[in-house]
Amino acid sequence: MNRLTGKVALVTGAGRGIGAAIARAFAAEGAAVVLAELDGANADATAREIAGAIEGARTLAVQTDVTQPASVRAAVDEAQRALGPVDVLVNNAGINVFADPLTMTDDDWRRCFAVDLDGVWNGCRAVLPGMVERRAGSIINIASTHAFQIIPGCFPYPVAKHGVIGLTRALGIEYAPRNVRVNAIAPGYIETQLTHDWWNAQPDPQAARKATLELPPMKRIGRPEEVAMTAVFLASDEAPFINASCITIDGGRTALHHD
Ligand SMILES: NC(=O)c1ccc[n+]([C@@H]2O[C@H](COP(=O)([O-])OP(=O)(O)OC[C@H]3O[C@@H](n4cnc5c(N)ncnc54)[C@H](O)[C@@H]3O)[C@@H](O)[C@H]2O)c1
């Protein structure tokens, strides 16, 4: 359990869900972990929970809004002061904005891009100068299978997630000569509060849940820990030649042509 020993990792949106699972898995592998999260109370609670559960774990909660470049820079600076330079960044913070394109408000569009795409860039921009200087670093962007496939009525979330893949590939190529790797993970349905909120917004939440569980060929949806395991791999020294790539975690759903 020491695949990340000596590394400092900053995870955005780590107060709950996939981000919290990644923070926990990183700490279990020996990384010092910064939980950069909009909901400061959740960040504190999750950081305390991880520190209490994992012997020797070093965690730092920093209230952060990924839509604000200065807020992200401040989190990276605080991480560096407390724990050392950031070796691993996981841009995980994200929100669902699901609307009909023509009835969507301008605010919906801006809110979605501010978190789901600008937020990823703000994170990258804050850590890249240090990583380039040290000639080492791993950035992991949490995209979605919405980055390849479209569900009607879910606009503009997939547009932003397509952008996350483009950003990952572009930065992966730009900084490969400096030994900075930039990769993405594209989860399918994963059981988190976000998924529960979506089910609860449907006319029949139970039926929506049942239908979702039927979608992957494995006839279940994923767990946050299953995304975290891949994040550990990409963050570790076990993936030194994986760059500008995306790993899909969806039980095979996107490979399925037809139900
Ligand atoms: N759950 C899924 O099925 C699923 C599938 C594919 C992709 N994803 C992606 O995975 C990521 C995490 O999703 P989740 O299901 O854990 O969601 P979640 O809503 O459970 O957790 C997201 C966290 O991000 C935080 N956050 C939101 N806006 C923020 C901001 N401006 N600054 C900092 N933190 C902010 C929230 O407070 C929350 O703690 C997102 O990028 C999401 O798009 C999720």
Side-chain angles (χ1 to χ4, degrees):
M1 302 301 268
N2 54 9
R3 294 154 76 199
L4 301 178
T5 298
K7 294 190 194 292
V8 175
L10 187 147
V11 184
T12 69
R16 70 180 200 189
I18 293 170
I22 292 173
R24 204 171 289 119
F26 279 10
E29 292 291 347
V33 184
V34 184
L35 296 86
E37 159 67 55
L38 186 63
D39 182 334
N42 252 359
D44 282 338
T46 304
R48 269 199 308 274
E49 179 258 307
I50 292 171
I54 299 167
E55 204 185 323
R58 288 194 300 161
T59 60
L60 173 70
V62 185
Q63 200 275 334
T64 308
D65 182 351
V66 297
T67 69
Q68 304 300 316
S71 175
V72 184
R73 271 198 309 273
V76 170
D77 288 348
E78 193 173 335
Q80 168 137 1
R81 276 195 303 275
L83 302 168
V86 174
D87 303 293
V88 178
L89 167 68
V90 182
N91 285 305
N92 163 80
I95 55 169
N96 280 353
V97 181
F98 291 165
D100 166 81
L102 294 183
T103 57
M104 176 194 73
T105 64
D106 289 347
D107 179 60
D108 283 339
W109 174 270
R110 277 193 292 269
R111 211 163 41 88
C112 182
F113 276 82
V115 182
D116 292 341
L117 187 54
D118 294 357
V120 177
W121 170 231
N122 291 337
C124 293
R125 196 162 51 168
V127 299
L128 272 168
M131 289 182 173
V132 165
E133 195 185 315
R134 293 188 300 279
R135 291 186 166 266
S138 174
I139 296 177
I140 300 160
N141 298 325
I142 305 301
S144 166
T145 49
H146 286 253
F148 323 115
Q149 295 190 307
I150 303 297
I151 304 173
C154 291
F155 194 83
Y157 178 80
V159 187
K161 291 296 187 180
H162 276 68
V164 170
I165 299 294
L167 182 61
T168 300
R169 290 163 59 87
L171 296 179
I173 298 305
E174 288 285 349
Y175 298 106
R178 305 303 186 95
N179 198 34
V180 177
R181 297 179 295 112
V182 187
N183 291 293
I185 294 175
Y189 282 107
I190 306 295
E191 189 156 4
T192 67
Q193 190 60 48
L194 195 72
T195 323
H196 281 267
D197 291 346
W198 183 78
W199 287 329
N200 290 334
Q202 303 310 303
D204 183 344
Q206 276 308 322
R209 181 174 193 279
K210 195 162 174 290
T212 309
L213 300 188
E214 283 299 310
L215 286 173
M218 298 177 91
K219 300 300 171 200
R220 68 173 180 87
I221 65 170
R223 292 183 287 110
E225 296 74 25
E226 291 171 324
V227 179
M229 290 177 209
T230 299
V232 167
F233 169 64
L234 287 174
S236 76
D237 298 333
E238 296 163 18
F241 205 49
I242 301 183
N243 180 40
S245 283
C246 177
I247 298 179
T248 299
I249 304 179
D250 70 345
R253 170 69 204 181
T254 49
L256 180 65
H257 184 261
H258 216 287
D259 284 311

